[in-house]
Each structure stands twice: as C-alpha cells, then as structure tokens.
C-alpha cells in the first residue's frame, strides 16, 4: 500500500489552480499504484501560528515535557507524523504576493521539528529524517512565472523538503493563470506526463 499526503494551501476550494494540479497528480498516481491511500490536509485548518509556549515545549526533551506541553504540541506531533508516514507528498501551493500562504508556512513550521524530522549532525550540520519519499509541488500563480525571479515559493519548498530529507522533489508549474487560463490543464498534464 502506498500512502500519499496531500497538503493544500489555497483559501479557495473552488477554482483553485494549485488544488486542481494536486488532484491531477493524485489521479496519475492512482493509475500507477494498485493500492493508494490519500490523506488530505488543509494547512489553513490545521496549522496555527507558533507561540512562545510552542517553542518552549518543542525545545524541551520529550520525556521532560509537562502535560500542558504535550497538549501544546499535539497538532504539530500529528502533522509531523503524517509527513513521516507518507510515501509520497503532494503540496498544492498557491503564491500570494510572491511567497507562501501564511498557513502553508505555518504547516512547515509545525513539521520541521528538531529530533523529529531532522537532527543536528556534527559532520553535515543537519540530517533530514523524512527520507525515502517523493514530493510533487504544484505551484499556482496569477502572472508570475514559476522558477522565475519573483518566485519565492518553489525554491523555498524544494530547499526545506531537502533539509527534511526529501531529495526527490519535483515542481509542477500551474502558473500564469491570469495570462493564459485556457491552457492551464493541458500545461499541467504535459508536465505530469514528463514526470511519469
């Protein structure tokens, strides 16, 4: 059984290009894998912004945390475990003002946990613990080319996933939706065909 974690970030449930692209990737995966389980996680529903209490709990050794600290980290623990358990990660990332939606950045902050998804290493600085996964990052933009000078979404997500140990990460451009909306689905499908 192959497990997919689909993290969504658009505030729109209808007409979202990043969501459409993520669904197209999952449809292709369903055609390849005999048994595929998909967990969808809307970042805006799950990932609250970090607090001082969260930071204090996170940097307290697990066996020394109080009941309140464990409760503070409960959502973060669950989100990080979902990432560790998944075989494939699909991120539907909308670009807002050249960067990530705040909710997606909050999701990253919750899953990038020392001792959980990465650890310090004296020889390599850090070692990612979320290994042996493939990631597909669908980036939707209105008028900004993906991987262009004003795209701060794609490089950031590729970098942070590599930091966590996911080195097999592919960016799929669902971009220029304002400029050329009519060809969006075919452009996404062409990129998926090339990957698979």
């Amino acid at each position: 059984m192959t497990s997919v974690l689909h993290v969504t970030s658009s505030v729109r449930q209808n007409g979202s290009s990043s969501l459409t692209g993520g669904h197209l990737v999952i449809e292709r995966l369903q055609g390849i894998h005999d048994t595929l389980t998909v967990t969808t996680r809307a970042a805006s529903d799950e990932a609250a912004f970090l607090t001082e209490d969260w930071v204090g709990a996170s940097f307290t050794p697990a066996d020394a945390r109080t009941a309140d600290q464990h409760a503070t980290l409960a959502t973060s623990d669950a989100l990080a475990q979902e990432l560790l358990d998944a075989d494939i990660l699909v991120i539907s990332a909308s670009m807002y003002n050249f960067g990530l939606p705040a909710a997606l950045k909050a999701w990253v902050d919750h899953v990038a946990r020392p001792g959980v998804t990465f650890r310090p290493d004296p020889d390599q600085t850090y070692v990612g613990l979320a290994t042996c996964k493939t990631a597909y990052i669908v980036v939707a933009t209105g008028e900004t080319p993906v991987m262009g000078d004003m795209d701060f979404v794609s490089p950031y997500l590729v970098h942070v996933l590599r930091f966590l140990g996911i080195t097999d990460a592919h960016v799929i451009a669902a971009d220029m939706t304002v400029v050329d909306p009519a060809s969006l689905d075919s452009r996404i499908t062409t990129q998926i065909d090339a990957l698979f």
Side-chain angles (χ1 to χ4, degrees):
M1 181 179 295
T2 303
S3 61
V4 175
L5 174 60
H6 184 197
V7 179
T8 67
S9 64
S10 177
V11 296
R12 298 190 306 169
Q13 296 306 306
N14 297 307
S16 165
S17 301
S18 65
L19 199 55
T20 296
H23 288 154
L24 288 172
V25 171
I26 291 169
E27 286 177 13
R28 183 60 59 90
L29 292 169
Q30 288 170 330
I32 294 171
H33 298 275
D34 293 334
T35 307
L36 194 75
T37 61
V38 180
T39 299
T40 300
R41 188 62 57 217
S44 58
D45 292 343
E46 303 293 340
F49 296 132
L50 304 189
T51 64
E52 185 174 359
D53 288 342
W54 186 98
V55 173
S58 179
F59 284 92
T60 299
D63 58 359
R65 288 175 191 150
T66 66
D68 284 346
Q69 287 179 316
H70 282 293
T72 296
L73 293 176
T75 296
S76 181
D77 288 340
L79 294 174
Q81 194 60 52
E82 277 184 346
L83 176 62
L84 291 169
D85 290 343
D87 300 305
I88 299 170
L89 174 65
V90 178
I91 298 179
S92 290
S94 301
M95 178 187 289
Y96 295 160
N97 300 313
F98 313 111
L100 272 67
L104 185 55
K105 177 58 168 66
W107 178 84
V108 170
D109 291 341
H110 278 283
V111 301
R113 295 271 303 279
V116 180
T117 53
F118 70 91
R119 64 172 173 78
D121 182 271
D123 297 321
Q124 302 180 51
T125 308
Y126 295 101
V127 172
L129 304 177
T131 56
C132 302
K133 303 177 193 309
T134 301
Y136 301 96
I137 307 164
V138 180
V139 180
T141 75
E143 299 180 73
T144 302
V146 164
M147 299 305 285
D149 291 343
M150 292 186 289
D151 173 13
F152 298 98
V153 174
S154 310
Y156 172 80
L157 286 173
V158 169
H159 176 82
V160 77
L161 292 180
R162 287 180 178 162
F163 178 81
L164 298 179
I166 304 172
T167 57
D168 187 17
H170 308 275
V171 175
I172 298 167
D175 59 356
M176 310 298 284
T177 59
V178 172
V179 177
D180 186 14
S183 70
L184 180 64
D185 284 3
S186 64
R187 287 187 283 121
I188 294 172
T189 302
T190 297
Q191 293 172 78
I192 292 172
D193 288 343
L195 288 174
F196 290 96

